Every structure is written in C-alpha cells, then in structure tokens.
Amino acid sequence: MKIGIYPGSFDPITYGHIDIIERAAKITDKLIVSVLNNSAKNPLFSVNERVEMIKKAVEGFDNVEVESFEGLTVDYCKAKKASFMIRGLRAVTDFEYELQLAQTNRALYDKVDTVFLLTNLNYAYLSSSAVKQVIKYGGDVSKFVPQYVEAKLKEKYSK
Ligand code: ADP
C-alpha cells in the first residue's frame, strides 16, 4: 500500500492546500494530512483547531486521514511506513526552500521520496499568511478558504 504524508502548518487550511490534497489522494492508496506541531512558528490556531478544520475539508475523501505530529517529518514518515512526502509548489519562489528541505530529508532518510505537486493556477498565489492579513483588515476571503474556516478566522480576530 502506498502511503503518502502531506505535512504542513495549515494555519489555516486554504483552497490551495485542499487542491493539493485532492491531487495527492488520487496518487496514493492512503494520504495522511499531518499538522506539524511547531510552536516556534507562533501559529494563530492550535493544533487541534487546525486538525478539526482539515477534517471538515476532507470529509468527502475515503482514503484521507488527518493527524498531527511533533519532531522530524522523516521520523514520522518512518513510523507511518510512508513511501512519499507530498509538498505543494506555488511558484519558483517556493522551489529553493523546498529543494533544500527535500534534500535534507533525503540525507536523513532516503526511503521516503518527496513528491511535488502543482496547484491549479487559481490558487498559485495563495498562502495562509496572506489570508490572515486580508481578514485582519476586514477583507473578503471567501475565494480563498471554506466558509467554516472564514468563520473561525473572524472569531479569532474579533477577540
Ligand atoms: P509550511 O509547511 O511551509 O509551514 P504550509 O502549511 O502553508 O507551509 O504549506 C504546506 C505545504 O503546502 C507546503 O508544501 C506549501 O508549499 C504547500 N502550499 C501552501 N499553499 C499552497 C498553494 N496555494 N498551492 C500549492 N501548494 C501550497
């Protein structure tokens, strides 16, 4: 069975991530979307909140699971017996960082391959940080995130 891990911060999940999940689910037998618990990133949403939002987004897929993890992604992949790690590429600006990350991961553990997927062009400019900026200043994010994510964002910024 080909297991893929799609790791990330997902703070919060956007239509860009969902597009990658849809594509990744087609090329794996089981896809595990995993929220990295990295407090150094100072996230807006707790790990649980992020997991819950992703679970709603993947309700329609029967081969997708959602979890969280701490520590090295390669150790997590090893524990889950994953063959691939999925990463999304938006533009060339992502490439250098992602290449460095993938080569480092390969040096640590060469039994997991990083697979890069490209989003639909409509989402190629989209990032969780941009969504947070827009909502913070009262903009409309309905084209970028599902409605329940928008509601959670509004709740955070109204506090
Ligand atoms: P990170 O894991 O770097 O903290 P994210 O959680 O935002 O960042 O993203 C997780 C993965 O999804 C990364 O591989 C990132 O490049 C990819 N990604 C994020 N937004 C998009 C998008 N709009 N289109 C394609 N890939 C994306």
Side-chain angles (χ1 to χ4, degrees), residues 6-11 14-17 20 41 86-90 94 97-98 117-120 123-128:
Y6 180 29
S9 309
F10 305 106
D11 186 42
T14 67
Y15 283 134
H17 298 126
I20 296 290
K41 279 212 166 178
I86 308 285
R87 296 290 288 175
L89 282 180
R90 283 165 286 202
D94 277 341
Y97 169 74
E98 292 290 344
L117 295 176
L118 305 180
T119 40
N120 185 306
Y123 306 126
Y125 58 91
L126 189 53
S127 70
S128 300

Side-chain angles (χ1 to χ4, degrees), residues 27-105:
I27 57 165
T28 49
D29 297 312
K30 180 163 97 175
L31 177 71
I32 311 175
V33 183
S34 286
V35 176
L36 173 61
N37 189 355
N38 177 0
S39 51
K41 279 212 166 178
N42 199 12
L44 176 68
F45 292 101
S46 72
V47 169
N48 275 349
E49 287 174 312
R50 284 179 272 159
V51 165
E52 287 313 310
M53 286 186 275
I54 303 171
K55 279 189 175 162
K56 277 198 178 202
V58 304
E59 265 166 8
F61 300 91
D62 47 16
N63 65 334
V64 181
E65 292 175 10
V66 188
E67 292 187 353
S68 63
F69 73 103
E70 276 180 77
L72 285 178
T73 312
V74 285
D75 289 340
Y76 176 69
C77 288
K78 217 186 275 185
K80 293 283 160 186
K81 298 186 169 44
S83 315
F84 325 112
M85 192 184 308
I86 308 285
R87 296 290 288 175
L89 282 180
R90 283 165 286 202
V92 278
T93 43
D94 277 341
F95 185 72
E96 211 158 305
Y97 169 74
E98 292 290 344
L99 184 70
Q100 191 183 18
L101 197 66
Q103 293 292 18
T104 307
N105 284 333

